[in-house]
Amino acid sequence: MMLCARNWNTPMIFDLKDGTVTLIVQAERHFGIVDNGGLHLYTYEGKLWKVKPLAHKMEVIEVHLDHCGPPAERRLAIIDKNRDLYLSTVRNFGNQQNLAWNDQTNMLAALQDGKLTVWYYPNAVYVDKELLSSTVSSKDTSGFGNSPQIVNFIGNHVTIRRADGALVSTGVSPYPVLLYELVNSSRWDDAVRLCRFVKDEAVWGCLAAMASYAKELNTAEIAYAAVDMVDKVQYILYIKEIPLKECRAAEMALFCGNAQDAEGMLLQASLIFRAIMMNISLYNWDRALELAVKHKTHVDTVLGYRQKFLNSFNKVETNKRFLQFAQGVEVNWEQIQAKIESEYQKEKERPNAKSYGK
């Protein structure tokens, strides 16, 4: 039997399949139990939820779920027996402890290699991996003795239990928490002012990743400039000049490494030419040709760029599909360039066409 209650006067009582419960972990709306049959997730009204399995090749030592954000953006932190840390996206998931999520934000603290490491914005790994290293803070843990364990990560304080049982609290920068609050409220100008006041590269890096994820191009441009990533600034400036918001959204998805999402956005908006050119720029030749043939447009454009690519490496065509279509399609670069210019002109003439921020 299992007893759950919102108050002690009106309990909810329900039967369990296996009465031998070895672990109970509670959350605000659900609780999990471990018995001989495995892991089970319940609501406090006794409803059993299906737990989505997550596979990992190595033996898993620790699993921790972040505390904030909608279900589609939740992150799971895993430590395996090699002491490697992994982050995974999950939909609906949920004690030696060497890592902990922050209670107010999605910051992550972990003990590794004799240091306390705090990732201010772990989601940067899904936005721009180059930013991840600049959004991390580390401090030596020699003062915590041997085998310290993280108890919790509340606000800007991490509580650590030493081997002798004593609890020690150490602080981290308070500014990332403030930055999260401003970004969650869409107060981008205030977020920029905070970063300028703090003058901390890690906080600027967080803002750059947050703004890119939210497709807030003006803020992303300022933040990337602050961390001296000139190439990213130039690319954002290019995106801002694109006249169609669907194209800008696709370019930002590509900027964040989500090529499949970017293509989906373009195809949904019937921007076939953009989808073809995106695959050409990524050297996804088969997909580019597939789209061109399916939609009966720009087959010669794909063949022409493919020829240029092979010629630059002094190679000959061996792909059977490209050889097949090359026999019946003439590659005329004057015609190709004219068609490309015509496509860009059509975009500018669309009723909703305007550059970002105008």
Side-chain angles (χ1 to χ4, degrees):
M1 303 289 286
M2 192 69 189
L3 175 65
C4 294
R6 292 183 176 178
N7 61 68
W8 295 109
N9 297 319
T10 56
M12 297 291 297
I13 301 175
F14 54 94
D15 294 328
L16 298 177
K17 294 181 180 179
D18 191 320
T20 308
V21 177
T22 58
L23 177 66
I24 300 177
V25 178
Q26 292 183 286
E28 182 179 355
R29 298 180 182 178
H30 306 84
F31 68 95
I33 65 171
V34 177
D35 58 22
N36 291 340
L39 170 66
H40 310 282
L41 186 65
Y42 289 89
T43 68
Y44 284 104
E45 286 73 35
K47 180 181 178 182
L48 177 64
W49 282 59
K50 293 183 179 180
V51 180
K52 181 180 176 181
L54 182 66
H56 188 71
K57 294 181 180 179
M58 302 296 295
E59 179 182 346
V60 175
I61 298 177
E62 297 184 41
V63 178
H64 298 276
L65 179 67
D66 64 4
H67 297 285
C68 309
E73 298 178 10
R74 300 299 294 273
R75 307 290 183 229
L76 193 71
I78 299 171
I79 292 182
D80 62 22
K81 68 177 183 180
N82 288 340
R83 313 306 299 176
D84 291 327
L85 171 64
Y86 293 85
L87 288 182
S88 174
T89 56
V90 293
R91 285 281 179 176
N92 289 307
F93 279 105
N95 254 290
Q96 182 177 353
Q97 181 165 316
N98 287 324
L99 76 160
W101 292 98
N102 186 261
D103 67 321
Q104 300 175 18
T105 69
N106 285 337
M107 293 191 297
L108 176 65
L111 293 171
Q112 58 172 15
D113 301 327
K115 293 182 179 180
L116 171 65
T117 304
V118 178
W119 288 268
Y120 292 140
Y121 189 60
N123 200 47
V125 73
Y126 297 101
V127 178
D128 185 347
K129 294 180 181 179
E130 293 183 33
L131 284 174
L132 185 62
S133 60
S134 65
T135 60
V136 176
S137 171
S138 296
K139 63 171 59 178
D140 185 69
T141 59
S142 58
F144 303 140
N146 296 325
S147 302
Q149 299 175 18
I150 295 179
V151 177
N152 55 46
F153 185 10
I154 298 176
N156 63 314
H157 289 87
V158 180
T159 302
I160 296 175
R161 189 185 302 278
R162 301 193 316 192
D164 59 7
L167 295 178
V168 180
S169 179
T170 183
V172 300
S173 173
Y175 298 114
V177 175
L178 296 176
L179 185 64
Y180 271 98
E181 293 177 359
L182 295 174
V183 169
N184 290 339
S185 302
S186 297
R187 296 166 58 187
W188 296 103
D189 291 340
D190 290 336
V192 171
R193 281 192 284 270
L194 173 66
C195 291
R196 285 174 174 164
F197 171 76
V198 176
K199 298 179 181 178
D200 184 343
E201 182 176 337
V203 182
W204 274 117
C206 290
L207 182 59
M210 291 174 175
S212 297
Y213 186 78
K215 299 179 177 60
E216 186 67 27
L217 300 185
N218 289 335
T219 305
E221 177 189 347
I222 295 170
Y224 272 110
V227 294
D228 295 325
M229 290 190 173
V230 180
D231 57 331
K232 304 296 175 68
V233 175
Q234 292 176 338
Y235 191 64
I236 291 172
L237 289 173
Y238 155 73
I239 294 174
K240 290 171 68 175
E241 292 301 318
I242 297 175
L244 298 179
K245 66 178 182 179
E246 297 89 351
C247 291
R248 292 195 295 269
E251 288 288 349
M252 283 305 297
L254 187 61
F255 179 83
C256 296
N258 300 321
Q260 188 173 358
D261 290 348
E263 182 187 288
M265 294 176 187
L266 294 172
L267 294 179
Q268 187 175 10
S270 299
L271 295 166
I272 310 303
F273 166 70
R274 283 277 185 175
I276 292 172
M277 293 303 294
M278 185 199 77
N279 280 286
I280 289 175
S281 68
L282 296 175
Y283 306 114
N284 293 336
W285 300 109
D286 289 331
R287 180 57 176 167
L289 183 60
E290 179 185 348
L291 290 173
V293 172
K294 178 180 178 180
H295 296 279
K296 300 178 181 179
T297 182
H298 285 284
V299 176
D300 57 341
T301 303
V302 178
L303 294 176
Y305 277 101
R306 172 74 170 182
Q307 281 183 5
K308 272 193 171 184
F309 172 76
L310 293 175
N311 290 341
S312 65
F313 292 96
N314 295 320
K315 292 185 177 181
V316 296
E317 184 62 76
T318 58
N319 188 300
K320 292 182 179 179
R321 280 183 58 80
F322 277 89
L323 289 172
Q324 174 189 346
F325 285 98
Q327 293 177 0
V329 178
E330 178 187 2
V331 175
N332 184 312
W333 272 105
E334 289 186 3
Q335 294 180 5
I336 291 173
Q337 292 294 343
K339 289 168 61 177
I340 290 175
E341 291 177 6
S342 175
E343 293 282 2
Y344 288 131
Q345 185 61 36
K346 288 178 183 178
E347 291 182 1
K348 294 178 182 179
E349 294 173 355
R350 285 198 177 194
N352 62 336
K354 60 179 181 179
S355 299
Y356 183 82
K358 295 183 181 179

Short mmCIF file of all heavy atoms in Angstrom, two decimals, residues 49-102:
data_model
loop_
_atom_site.label_atom_id
_atom_site.label_comp_id
_atom_site.label_asym_id
_atom_site.label_seq_id
_atom_site.Cartn_x
_atom_site.Cartn_y
_atom_site.Cartn_z
N TRP A 49 2.35 7.26 -14.29
CA TRP A 49 2.82 7.85 -15.54
C TRP A 49 3.82 6.92 -16.18
O TRP A 49 4.62 6.27 -15.50
CB TRP A 49 3.50 9.20 -15.27
CG TRP A 49 2.52 10.31 -15.04
CD1 TRP A 49 1.55 10.38 -14.08
CD2 TRP A 49 2.41 11.51 -15.80
NE1 TRP A 49 0.86 11.54 -14.18
CE2 TRP A 49 1.35 12.26 -15.23
CE3 TRP A 49 3.09 12.03 -16.90
CZ2 TRP A 49 0.97 13.50 -15.73
CZ3 TRP A 49 2.70 13.26 -17.38
CH2 TRP A 49 1.65 13.98 -16.81
N LYS A 50 3.78 6.87 -17.52
CA LYS A 50 4.77 6.08 -18.25
C LYS A 50 6.10 6.83 -18.29
O LYS A 50 6.13 8.01 -18.61
CB LYS A 50 4.29 5.80 -19.68
CG LYS A 50 3.08 4.88 -19.74
CD LYS A 50 2.70 4.58 -21.17
CE LYS A 50 1.51 3.64 -21.24
NZ LYS A 50 1.13 3.34 -22.65
N VAL A 51 7.17 6.14 -17.96
CA VAL A 51 8.50 6.74 -17.95
C VAL A 51 9.20 6.43 -19.27
O VAL A 51 9.35 5.27 -19.64
CB VAL A 51 9.34 6.21 -16.76
CG1 VAL A 51 10.71 6.84 -16.78
CG2 VAL A 51 8.62 6.51 -15.45
N LYS A 52 9.61 7.45 -20.00
CA LYS A 52 10.30 7.26 -21.27
C LYS A 52 11.72 6.78 -21.01
O LYS A 52 12.49 7.43 -20.29
CB LYS A 52 10.35 8.59 -22.02
CG LYS A 52 11.03 8.51 -23.36
CD LYS A 52 11.02 9.88 -24.02
CE LYS A 52 11.77 9.85 -25.32
NZ LYS A 52 11.82 11.15 -25.99
N PRO A 53 12.13 5.63 -21.61
CA PRO A 53 13.49 5.12 -21.37
C PRO A 53 14.54 5.95 -22.10
O PRO A 53 14.30 6.48 -23.17
CB PRO A 53 13.43 3.69 -21.92
CG PRO A 53 12.38 3.75 -22.98
CD PRO A 53 11.35 4.72 -22.47
N LEU A 54 15.70 6.07 -21.48
CA LEU A 54 16.83 6.76 -22.08
C LEU A 54 18.04 5.84 -22.00
O LEU A 54 18.43 5.42 -20.90
CB LEU A 54 17.11 8.07 -21.32
CG LEU A 54 18.25 8.94 -21.86
CD1 LEU A 54 17.88 9.48 -23.23
CD2 LEU A 54 18.54 10.09 -20.91
N ALA A 55 18.62 5.50 -23.15
CA ALA A 55 19.72 4.54 -23.20
C ALA A 55 21.06 5.25 -23.15
O ALA A 55 21.24 6.32 -23.72
CB ALA A 55 19.62 3.69 -24.46
N HIS A 56 22.01 4.65 -22.44
CA HIS A 56 23.39 5.14 -22.39
C HIS A 56 24.31 3.93 -22.44
O HIS A 56 24.07 2.92 -21.78
CB HIS A 56 23.62 5.94 -21.10
CG HIS A 56 24.95 6.63 -21.07
ND1 HIS A 56 25.25 7.71 -21.87
CD2 HIS A 56 26.08 6.39 -20.34
CE1 HIS A 56 26.49 8.11 -21.62
NE2 HIS A 56 27.01 7.31 -20.70
N LYS A 57 25.37 4.00 -23.26
CA LYS A 57 26.22 2.84 -23.50
C LYS A 57 26.98 2.41 -22.26
O LYS A 57 27.20 1.23 -22.03
CB LYS A 57 27.20 3.15 -24.64
CG LYS A 57 26.52 3.36 -26.00
CD LYS A 57 27.54 3.65 -27.08
CE LYS A 57 26.86 3.84 -28.44
NZ LYS A 57 27.84 4.14 -29.51
N MET A 58 27.43 3.38 -21.46
CA MET A 58 28.21 3.06 -20.28
C MET A 58 27.31 2.95 -19.05
O MET A 58 26.17 3.42 -19.05
CB MET A 58 29.26 4.15 -20.02
CG MET A 58 30.22 4.37 -21.18
SD MET A 58 31.24 2.94 -21.53
CE MET A 58 32.21 2.86 -20.03
N GLU A 59 27.82 2.31 -18.00
CA GLU A 59 27.08 2.23 -16.74
C GLU A 59 26.91 3.63 -16.16
O GLU A 59 27.87 4.39 -16.04
CB GLU A 59 27.84 1.34 -15.76
CG GLU A 59 27.16 1.22 -14.41
CD GLU A 59 27.96 0.37 -13.44
OE1 GLU A 59 28.89 -0.33 -13.90
OE2 GLU A 59 27.68 0.42 -12.23
N VAL A 60 25.69 3.98 -15.80
CA VAL A 60 25.38 5.32 -15.28
C VAL A 60 25.48 5.32 -13.77
O VAL A 60 24.92 4.46 -13.08
CB VAL A 60 23.97 5.75 -15.73
CG1 VAL A 60 23.59 7.09 -15.10
CG2 VAL A 60 23.91 5.85 -17.24
N ILE A 61 26.20 6.32 -13.23
CA ILE A 61 26.39 6.46 -11.79
C ILE A 61 25.40 7.46 -11.20
O ILE A 61 24.81 7.22 -10.15
CB ILE A 61 27.83 6.89 -11.46
CG1 ILE A 61 28.81 5.82 -11.93
CG2 ILE A 61 28.00 7.15 -9.97
CD1 ILE A 61 30.27 6.19 -11.73
N GLU A 62 25.21 8.60 -11.89
CA GLU A 62 24.32 9.63 -11.38
C GLU A 62 23.46 10.19 -12.50
O GLU A 62 23.90 10.29 -13.65
CB GLU A 62 25.12 10.79 -10.76
CG GLU A 62 25.94 10.40 -9.55
CD GLU A 62 26.61 11.61 -8.93
OE1 GLU A 62 25.95 12.66 -8.84
OE2 GLU A 62 27.78 11.50 -8.54
N VAL A 63 22.22 10.54 -12.14
CA VAL A 63 21.29 11.16 -13.07
C VAL A 63 20.60 12.32 -12.35
O VAL A 63 20.09 12.14 -11.24
CB VAL A 63 20.23 10.16 -13.58
CG1 VAL A 63 19.24 10.86 -14.51
CG2 VAL A 63 20.88 8.99 -14.28
N HIS A 64 20.59 13.50 -12.99
CA HIS A 64 19.94 14.66 -12.38
C HIS A 64 19.20 15.46 -13.45
O HIS A 64 19.73 15.69 -14.54
CB HIS A 64 20.96 15.57 -11.69
CG HIS A 64 21.68 14.89 -10.56
ND1 HIS A 64 21.17 14.81 -9.29
CD2 HIS A 64 22.86 14.22 -10.54
CE1 HIS A 64 22.01 14.13 -8.52
NE2 HIS A 64 23.05 13.77 -9.26
N LEU A 65 17.99 15.89 -13.12
CA LEU A 65 17.16 16.67 -14.03
C LEU A 65 17.16 18.13 -13.60
O LEU A 65 17.11 18.42 -12.40
CB LEU A 65 15.73 16.12 -14.03
CG LEU A 65 14.70 16.83 -14.91
CD1 LEU A 65 15.04 16.64 -16.37
CD2 LEU A 65 13.31 16.29 -14.61
N ASP A 66 17.21 19.05 -14.58
CA ASP A 66 17.16 20.47 -14.21
C ASP A 66 15.76 20.82 -13.70
O ASP A 66 14.81 20.07 -13.84
CB ASP A 66 17.58 21.37 -15.38
CG ASP A 66 16.65 21.28 -16.57
OD1 ASP A 66 15.63 20.57 -16.47
OD2 ASP A 66 16.95 21.90 -17.60
N HIS A 67 15.64 22.01 -13.09
CA HIS A 67 14.42 22.35 -12.36
C HIS A 67 13.51 23.32 -13.10
O HIS A 67 12.40 23.57 -12.64
CB HIS A 67 14.79 23.00 -11.01
CG HIS A 67 15.53 22.09 -10.09
ND1 HIS A 67 14.94 21.05 -9.41
CD2 HIS A 67 16.85 22.04 -9.76
CE1 HIS A 67 15.84 20.41 -8.67
NE2 HIS A 67 17.01 21.00 -8.87
N CYS A 68 13.96 23.90 -14.20
CA CYS A 68 13.22 25.02 -14.79
C CYS A 68 12.97 24.78 -16.29
O CYS A 68 13.66 24.00 -16.93
CB CYS A 68 13.99 26.33 -14.62
SG CYS A 68 14.52 26.64 -12.93
N GLY A 69 11.97 25.52 -16.82
CA GLY A 69 11.71 25.51 -18.24
C GLY A 69 10.57 24.60 -18.64
O GLY A 69 10.17 23.70 -17.89
N PRO A 70 10.03 24.79 -19.86
CA PRO A 70 8.96 23.93 -20.36
C PRO A 70 9.48 22.53 -20.65
O PRO A 70 10.69 22.32 -20.81
CB PRO A 70 8.52 24.64 -21.65
CG PRO A 70 9.70 25.45 -22.06
CD PRO A 70 10.38 25.87 -20.80
N PRO A 71 8.59 21.52 -20.74
CA PRO A 71 9.03 20.13 -20.92
C PRO A 71 9.94 19.91 -22.12
O PRO A 71 10.89 19.14 -22.05
CB PRO A 71 7.70 19.37 -21.09
CG PRO A 71 6.71 20.20 -20.36
CD PRO A 71 7.13 21.63 -20.57
N ALA A 72 9.69 20.63 -23.23
CA ALA A 72 10.49 20.42 -24.44
C ALA A 72 11.92 20.91 -24.30
O ALA A 72 12.78 20.56 -25.10
CB ALA A 72 9.83 21.12 -25.63
N GLU A 73 12.21 21.72 -23.27
CA GLU A 73 13.54 22.28 -23.11
C GLU A 73 14.25 21.77 -21.86
O GLU A 73 15.27 22.31 -21.47
CB GLU A 73 13.46 23.81 -23.06
CG GLU A 73 12.89 24.42 -24.33
CD GLU A 73 12.78 25.93 -24.25
OE1 GLU A 73 13.33 26.51 -23.28
OE2 GLU A 73 12.16 26.54 -25.13
N ARG A 74 13.71 20.71 -21.24
CA ARG A 74 14.35 20.18 -20.03
C ARG A 74 15.63 19.44 -20.40
O ARG A 74 15.75 18.85 -21.48
CB ARG A 74 13.41 19.22 -19.29
CG ARG A 74 12.12 19.87 -18.84
CD ARG A 74 12.34 21.02 -17.87
NE ARG A 74 12.90 20.59 -16.62
CZ ARG A 74 12.15 20.16 -15.59
NH1 ARG A 74 10.85 20.09 -15.70
NH2 ARG A 74 12.75 19.80 -14.46
N ARG A 75 16.61 19.47 -19.50
CA ARG A 75 17.90 18.84 -19.72
C ARG A 75 18.19 17.84 -18.60
O ARG A 75 17.91 18.09 -17.44
CB ARG A 75 19.03 19.88 -19.76
CG ARG A 75 18.79 21.03 -20.74
CD ARG A 75 18.89 20.59 -22.17
NE ARG A 75 18.72 21.71 -23.08
CZ ARG A 75 17.90 21.71 -24.11
NH1 ARG A 75 17.18 20.65 -24.38
NH2 ARG A 75 17.81 22.77 -24.89
N LEU A 76 18.76 16.72 -18.99
CA LEU A 76 19.15 15.68 -18.06
C LEU A 76 20.67 15.58 -18.04
O LEU A 76 21.30 15.51 -19.08
CB LEU A 76 18.55 14.34 -18.49
CG LEU A 76 18.59 13.20 -17.47
CD1 LEU A 76 17.61 13.49 -16.35
CD2 LEU A 76 18.24 11.88 -18.14
N ALA A 77 21.25 15.64 -16.84
CA ALA A 77 22.69 15.50 -16.68
C ALA A 77 23.01 14.08 -16.20
O ALA A 77 22.38 13.58 -15.27
CB ALA A 77 23.22 16.53 -15.69
N ILE A 78 23.97 13.45 -16.85
CA ILE A 78 24.32 12.06 -16.55
C ILE A 78 25.83 11.95 -16.33
O ILE A 78 26.61 12.52 -17.09
CB ILE A 78 23.91 11.12 -17.71
CG1 ILE A 78 22.39 11.17 -17.93
CG2 ILE A 78 24.36 9.69 -17.45
CD1 ILE A 78 21.95 10.45 -19.18
N ILE A 79 26.22 11.22 -15.31
CA ILE A 79 27.63 10.87 -15.10
C ILE A 79 27.75 9.35 -15.21
O ILE A 79 27.02 8.62 -14.53
CB ILE A 79 28.14 11.34 -13.73
CG1 ILE A 79 28.20 12.88 -13.68
CG2 ILE A 79 29.53 10.77 -13.45
CD1 ILE A 79 28.73 13.42 -12.37
N ASP A 80 28.64 8.88 -16.10
CA ASP A 80 28.82 7.44 -16.23
C ASP A 80 30.04 6.98 -15.45
O ASP A 80 30.70 7.76 -14.77
CB ASP A 80 28.88 7.02 -17.70
CG ASP A 80 30.06 7.64 -18.45
OD1 ASP A 80 31.05 8.04 -17.80
OD2 ASP A 80 29.99 7.73 -19.69
N LYS A 81 30.36 5.70 -15.54
CA LYS A 81 31.43 5.14 -14.71
C LYS A 81 32.81 5.64 -15.11
O LYS A 81 33.76 5.49 -14.35
CB LYS A 81 31.38 3.61 -14.75
CG LYS A 81 31.76 3.00 -16.10
CD LYS A 81 31.74 1.48 -15.98
CE LYS A 81 32.17 0.80 -17.28
NZ LYS A 81 32.16 -0.67 -17.18
N ASN A 82 32.92 6.25 -16.29
CA ASN A 82 34.18 6.88 -16.69
C ASN A 82 34.31 8.29 -16.15
O ASN A 82 35.27 8.99 -16.46
CB ASN A 82 34.30 6.91 -18.22
CG ASN A 82 34.57 5.54 -18.81
OD1 ASN A 82 35.02 4.64 -18.10
ND2 ASN A 82 34.27 5.37 -20.08
N ARG A 83 33.33 8.70 -15.36
CA ARG A 83 33.27 10.04 -14.78
C ARG A 83 33.10 11.13 -15.84
O ARG A 83 33.47 12.28 -15.65
CB ARG A 83 34.51 10.36 -13.92
CG ARG A 83 34.92 9.29 -12.94
CD ARG A 83 33.78 8.90 -12.04
NE ARG A 83 33.28 10.02 -11.23
CZ ARG A 83 32.23 9.95 -10.42
NH1 ARG A 83 31.54 8.83 -10.33
NH2 ARG A 83 31.85 11.02 -9.72
N ASP A 84 32.52 10.75 -16.99
CA ASP A 84 32.21 11.72 -18.04
C ASP A 84 30.81 12.27 -17.82
O ASP A 84 29.89 11.53 -17.44
CB ASP A 84 32.29 11.06 -19.43
CG ASP A 84 33.71 10.70 -19.81
OD1 ASP A 84 34.63 11.44 -19.41
OD2 ASP A 84 33.91 9.69 -20.52
N LEU A 85 30.66 13.56 -18.05
CA LEU A 85 29.37 14.22 -17.88
C LEU A 85 28.69 14.39 -19.23
O LEU A 85 29.30 14.87 -20.18
CB LEU A 85 29.57 15.60 -17.22
CG LEU A 85 28.34 16.51 -17.16
CD1 LEU A 85 27.25 15.90 -16.29
CD2 LEU A 85 28.74 17.89 -16.63
N TYR A 86 27.43 14.01 -19.33
CA TYR A 86 26.64 14.14 -20.55
C TYR A 86 25.38 14.94 -20.27
O TYR A 86 24.79 14.85 -19.19
CB TYR A 86 26.24 12.76 -21.09
CG TYR A 86 27.39 11.92 -21.58
CD1 TYR A 86 28.12 11.14 -20.69
CD2 TYR A 86 27.77 11.92 -22.92
CE1 TYR A 86 29.18 10.36 -21.13
CE2 TYR A 86 28.83 11.14 -23.36
CZ TYR A 86 29.53 10.36 -22.47
OH TYR A 86 30.58 9.61 -22.91
N LEU A 87 24.96 15.73 -21.27
CA LEU A 87 23.68 16.43 -21.21
C LEU A 87 22.78 15.86 -22.30
O LEU A 87 23.23 15.64 -23.42
CB LEU A 87 23.86 17.93 -21.43
CG LEU A 87 24.50 18.73 -20.30
CD1 LEU A 87 24.55 20.21 -20.69
CD2 LEU A 87 23.73 18.57 -19.01
N SER A 88 21.53 15.65 -21.95
CA SER A 88 20.58 15.12 -22.92
C SER A 88 19.27 15.89 -22.84
O SER A 88 18.87 16.32 -21.76
CB SER A 88 20.32 13.63 -22.64
OG SER A 88 19.30 13.13 -23.48
N THR A 89 18.62 16.09 -23.99
CA THR A 89 17.29 16.68 -23.98
C THR A 89 16.28 15.60 -23.64
O THR A 89 16.42 14.46 -24.06
CB THR A 89 16.94 17.27 -25.35
OG1 THR A 89 17.06 16.25 -26.34
CG2 THR A 89 17.87 18.42 -25.70
N VAL A 90 15.28 15.95 -22.86
CA VAL A 90 14.24 15.01 -22.46
C VAL A 90 12.89 15.69 -22.57
O VAL A 90 12.81 16.92 -22.63
CB VAL A 90 14.46 14.49 -21.02
CG1 VAL A 90 15.68 13.64 -20.91
CG2 VAL A 90 14.52 15.65 -20.04
N ARG A 91 11.86 14.88 -22.55
CA ARG A 91 10.50 15.43 -22.60
C ARG A 91 9.89 15.49 -21.20
O ARG A 91 9.59 16.56 -20.71
CB ARG A 91 9.62 14.56 -23.51
CG ARG A 91 9.93 14.78 -24.97
CD ARG A 91 9.28 16.04 -25.46
NE ARG A 91 9.58 16.28 -26.86
CZ ARG A 91 9.07 17.27 -27.55
NH1 ARG A 91 8.25 18.12 -26.98
NH2 ARG A 91 9.41 17.46 -28.81
N ASN A 92 9.73 14.34 -20.55
CA ASN A 92 9.11 14.31 -19.22
C ASN A 92 9.92 13.39 -18.29
O ASN A 92 9.53 12.26 -18.05
CB ASN A 92 7.65 13.83 -19.30
CG ASN A 92 6.75 14.84 -19.95
OD1 ASN A 92 6.72 15.98 -19.54
ND2 ASN A 92 6.02 14.43 -20.97
N PHE A 93 11.08 13.82 -17.80
CA PHE A 93 11.92 13.03 -16.93
C PHE A 93 12.12 13.69 -15.54
O PHE A 93 12.40 14.86 -15.45
CB PHE A 93 13.32 12.84 -17.50
CG PHE A 93 13.40 11.77 -18.51
CD1 PHE A 93 13.50 12.08 -19.83
CD2 PHE A 93 13.35 10.47 -18.13
CE1 PHE A 93 13.58 11.10 -20.74
CE2 PHE A 93 13.44 9.48 -19.05
CZ PHE A 93 13.55 9.80 -20.37
N GLY A 94 12.36 12.88 -14.94
CA GLY A 94 12.91 13.26 -13.67
C GLY A 94 14.08 12.46 -13.42
O GLY A 94 14.00 11.56 -13.13
N ASN A 95 22.21 8.62 -2.48
CA ASN A 95 22.28 9.86 -3.28
C ASN A 95 23.72 10.37 -3.01
O ASN A 95 23.84 11.49 -2.66
CB ASN A 95 21.37 10.87 -2.72
CG ASN A 95 20.05 11.35 -3.24
OD1 ASN A 95 20.06 12.02 -4.25
ND2 ASN A 95 19.00 11.15 -2.58
N GLN A 96 25.42 9.40 -3.21
CA GLN A 96 26.57 10.32 -3.44
C GLN A 96 26.22 11.25 -4.59
O GLN A 96 25.80 10.79 -5.63
CB GLN A 96 27.82 9.53 -3.80
CG GLN A 96 29.03 10.34 -4.01
CD GLN A 96 30.22 9.42 -4.30
OE1 GLN A 96 30.13 8.21 -4.20
NE2 GLN A 96 31.32 10.01 -4.65
N GLN A 97 26.37 12.53 -4.43
CA GLN A 97 25.98 13.50 -5.45
C GLN A 97 27.15 14.39 -5.80
O GLN A 97 27.71 15.05 -4.94
CB GLN A 97 24.79 14.33 -4.95
CG GLN A 97 24.30 15.35 -5.96
CD GLN A 97 22.95 15.88 -5.58
OE1 GLN A 97 22.06 15.14 -5.21
NE2 GLN A 97 22.77 17.17 -5.69
N ASN A 98 27.51 14.37 -7.07
CA ASN A 98 28.61 15.20 -7.53
C ASN A 98 28.18 16.31 -8.47
O ASN A 98 29.01 17.01 -9.02
CB ASN A 98 29.67 14.33 -8.22
CG ASN A 98 30.46 13.49 -7.23
OD1 ASN A 98 30.73 13.95 -6.13
ND2 ASN A 98 30.80 12.29 -7.60
N LEU A 99 26.89 16.46 -8.66
CA LEU A 99 26.40 17.57 -9.47
C LEU A 99 24.99 17.93 -9.03
O LEU A 99 24.29 17.13 -8.41
CB LEU A 99 26.43 17.25 -10.96
CG LEU A 99 25.36 16.33 -11.54
CD1 LEU A 99 25.27 16.53 -13.03
CD2 LEU A 99 25.69 14.87 -11.24
N ALA A 100 24.58 19.15 -9.35
CA ALA A 100 23.25 19.61 -8.98
C ALA A 100 22.82 20.75 -9.90
O ALA A 100 23.64 21.59 -10.28
CB ALA A 100 23.22 20.08 -7.52
N TRP A 101 21.54 20.75 -10.27
CA TRP A 101 20.98 21.86 -11.01
C TRP A 101 20.57 22.96 -10.04
O TRP A 101 20.16 22.69 -8.92
CB TRP A 101 19.75 21.41 -11.81
CG TRP A 101 20.05 20.48 -12.95
CD1 TRP A 101 19.94 19.12 -12.94
CD2 TRP A 101 20.48 20.84 -14.26
NE1 TRP A 101 20.30 18.61 -14.16
CE2 TRP A 101 20.62 19.64 -15.00
CE3 TRP A 101 20.77 22.06 -14.89
CZ2 TRP A 101 21.03 19.62 -16.32
CZ3 TRP A 101 21.17 22.05 -16.21
CH2 TRP A 101 21.30 20.84 -16.92
N ASN A 102 20.63 24.17 -10.51
CA ASN A 102 20.20 25.31 -9.71
C ASN A 102 18.69 25.28 -9.54
O ASN A 102 17.96 24.85 -10.43
CB ASN A 102 20.64 26.61 -10.38
CG ASN A 102 20.36 27.82 -9.54
OD1 ASN A 102 19.36 28.51 -9.74
ND2 ASN A 102 21.22 28.11 -8.58
#
